[in-house]
Amino acid sequence: MRTRQFAERAALSAALSLSLLGLGTTTAAADTSTSLPISSYRDMAVDAAHQQVFLSDPFGDSVLVTDYTGQVVKQIGGEAGAWGVALSSDSRTLYVALRDAGAIAAIDTATLQETARYDTGTGAGAYAGPTSLALAGGKIWFGYSTDTWHGALGSLDLSGPQPVVTRDQGLDTFRGAPHLAATPQDPDTLVAAESDGNAASLAVYDVSTGRADAQARRVDPGPDGCASLQDLALTPDAARVVVACASPYYHQAFRTADLSDDGRYTTSHYPNSVAVAPDGTIAAGINGASSPDVYLFPQGDSTAFHTWDFPASSPYTTNTLQSGGLAWAPDGSRIFAVTEDSGSSSLSLQVLNHPQVDTTVTVRAPASSPRNQDLTLNGKLVAPVGFGTGSTVDIWRLDDPLAGEGTMIGSATVAADGTFSYTDRPRAKGAVQYTVQYYGDARHAYAYGSVTVDITSD
């Protein structure tokens, strides 16, 4: 009972301290939904530097820009067949695949003006122009169709005095323009997957030499195949690729080293979207009317820890996620989702704030320790999602558990895997209780853990 009372007082004290500092207690922000002035959608990029979201509007020949709440900032016109988008590593430039212009446009993210346009030499239109973009190996890679039955990879190199386009790579792999995926942590790995055809083709390339050197290929991957591939995303370390295929009715993962099966994420009918946060949390979406629309998974865990179901405008309509319609904010604080209402065919941007997840604290220490000697506490925070840089825990010491009051003696930094340690030098003999408090953040709930050590004579 004393321990419980101490923890309750400590939690109240922490909340009061945060309020006095003007920080307030951590509460989850409400999700929002905003109607969009576009009637088509293909791809999305999130700009953390300016807190903007870019959405391609291929049949409206535009790129729509919103803020983090979904409010429209600008609609950039004149972008013929705006399809895939990719943001530069410094967030200064948005690159847009213009399928119907056979080109790649560069848009300044500060001025929201097109600053350059590069001809890909592919021709333009549905079975020619570029449709997907990824930044890897110091180049801009694009997927395109060579005709109605074949696809290929190309690259745009802007590092020299003149832009250099290289085409016709991966010619023996794809039956349509491939989707592309890359990650900044492993910039020399490029993954491509066919977007057309009944059975998808998946390939991994090393692009460090400037060419797409195939490392692994697989047709119709997975134990149940992969029909009508809709989306793919790499884990931050590029060790795994997660794909969304209309069938089977789950999201599946593959090792990029050899494209061998590496588990599944249990979702439901018609998977169509996937996005991976910087900490590895996986958002998996489906185009199903009767199931949750978006699922959140810890990396490597097949059980979702949170779901969203988008409400429809009426009992007779549905509000469904668009193919490739998920993107994370780079800090992992929220997910952006593009949905369509079946009654009006209107598109909306859903802003889904990351839920606060349950967190536990374990603390370990020797059963006994001499007084006036170093005593090290080791512990770990455990939650479905990782802990960001700068997370800390506070350590309280209660020299007499019956007294019911304790003293905060210090803080410890939490590592990315949730571990922490703290060394104390207790002076009082007898049972000493240590309580570790974690005050939580936007993604983690408050938690505490305690351990008691018998402090003996010197």
Side-chain angles (χ1 to χ4, degrees):
M1 179 64 70
R2 292 284 185 179
T3 300
R4 179 181 177 184
Q5 290 173 346
F6 169 79
E8 290 172 345
R9 280 194 292 270
L12 178 60
S13 173
L16 290 173
S17 297
L18 289 171
S19 297
L20 290 172
L21 289 171
L23 300 177
T25 55
T26 301
T27 57
D31 299 336
T32 62
S33 176
T34 305
S35 295
L36 300 175
I38 55 176
S39 58
S40 65
Y41 163 80
R42 280 300 178 272
D43 200 7
M44 178 167 32
V46 182
D47 170 17
H50 304 95
Q51 295 211 333
Q52 298 177 140
V53 181
F54 296 93
L55 303 102
S56 67
D57 171 24
F59 302 124
D61 298 333
S62 74
V63 174
L64 184 69
V65 189
T66 76
D67 63 18
Y68 268 21
T69 68
Q71 299 303 307
V72 174
V73 175
K74 184 177 182 179
Q75 188 165 2
I76 306 169
E79 306 297 325
W83 214 266
V85 294
L87 193 65
S88 65
S89 59
D90 59 8
S91 292
R92 293 182 178 179
T93 306
L94 178 78
Y95 297 102
V96 185
L98 304 180
R99 188 195 70 172
D100 296 344
I104 296 173
I107 294 174
D108 187 305
T109 57
T111 65
L112 302 180
Q113 299 287 333
E114 183 179 316
T115 58
R117 184 171 292 198
Y118 307 99
D119 190 334
T120 57
T122 59
Y127 297 105
T131 57
S132 181
L133 297 181
L135 274 60
K139 297 182 179 183
I140 304 165
W141 290 84
F142 56 91
Y144 68 101
S145 295
T146 58
D147 54 41
T148 56
W149 298 107
H150 301 89
L153 301 174
S155 66
L156 170 63
D157 187 353
L158 299 177
S159 61
Q162 297 294 327
V164 177
V165 173
T166 304
R167 295 180 299 277
D168 298 334
Q169 301 184 64
L171 287 172
D172 58 345
T173 302
F174 306 110
R175 292 175 297 173
H179 288 291
L180 305 182
T183 177
Q185 292 185 24
D186 188 355
D188 293 332
T189 296
L190 177 70
V191 178
E194 181 185 346
S195 57
D196 294 329
N198 290 326
S201 296
L202 189 61
V204 179
Y205 299 94
D206 177 358
V207 295
S208 60
T209 64
R211 298 284 301 180
D213 181 15
Q215 304 297 297
R217 290 192 184 98
R218 191 171 175 188
V219 177
D220 205 21
D224 300 307
C226 173
S228 186
L229 184 136
Q230 302 291 306
D231 200 8
L232 76 163
L234 279 170
T235 56
D237 59 3
R240 303 166 74 235
V241 58
V242 184
V243 301
C245 303
S247 175
Y249 300 151
Y250 56 84
H251 288 65
Q252 47 194 327
F254 305 97
R255 297 181 184 91
T256 53
D258 56 6
L259 291 179
S260 59
D261 298 344
D262 198 31
R264 65 177 66 181
Y265 297 94
T266 304
T267 50
S268 189
H269 294 71
Y270 315 124
N272 71 350
S273 302
V274 60
V276 183
D279 69 354
T281 303
I282 294 168
I286 66 166
N287 181 20
S290 60
S291 303
D293 297 289
V294 179
Y295 302 70
L296 285 190
F297 297 90
Q299 188 175 163
D301 191 331
S302 63
T303 302
F305 66 85
H306 191 79
T307 62
W308 284 274
D309 196 3
F310 301 129
S313 59
S314 79
Y316 309 104
T317 62
T318 57
N319 191 17
T320 55
L321 183 68
Q322 294 295 281
S323 178
L326 294 176
W328 284 91
D331 65 357
S333 63
R334 69 202 79 191
I335 303 165
F336 301 95
V338 180
T339 63
E340 181 181 50
D341 188 279
S342 64
S344 61
S345 297
S346 61
L347 298 178
S348 296
L349 181 63
Q350 316 287 335
V351 182
L352 312 175
N353 291 282
H354 197 295
Q356 271 198 336
V357 298
D358 291 338
T359 306
T360 60
V361 179
T362 57
V363 190
R364 301 183 308 278
S368 63
S369 180
R371 72 184 186 97
N372 294 320
Q373 299 292 322
D374 284 350
L375 167 61
T376 299
L377 307 173
N378 292 294
K380 187 172 185 178
L381 304 183
V382 177
V385 294
F387 299 89
T389 303
S391 297
T392 61
V393 292
D394 285 348
I395 292 88
W396 294 66
R397 185 180 66 210
L398 187 59
D399 293 327
D400 179 5
L402 296 180
E405 296 293 341
T407 302
M408 195 183 90
I409 59 174
S411 299
T413 300
V414 178
D417 63 356
T419 57
F420 62 86
S421 65
Y422 183 84
T423 299
D424 185 34
R425 182 169 283 216
R427 290 178 292 180
K429 291 197 302 181
V432 174
Q433 177 182 293
Y434 291 93
T435 296
V436 175
Q437 289 193 92
Y438 173 62
Y439 298 124
D441 56 28
R443 302 194 300 166
H444 301 87
Y446 166 85
Y448 72 91
S450 298
V451 67
T452 299
V453 181
D454 182 21
I455 306 302
T456 61
S457 300
D458 300 349

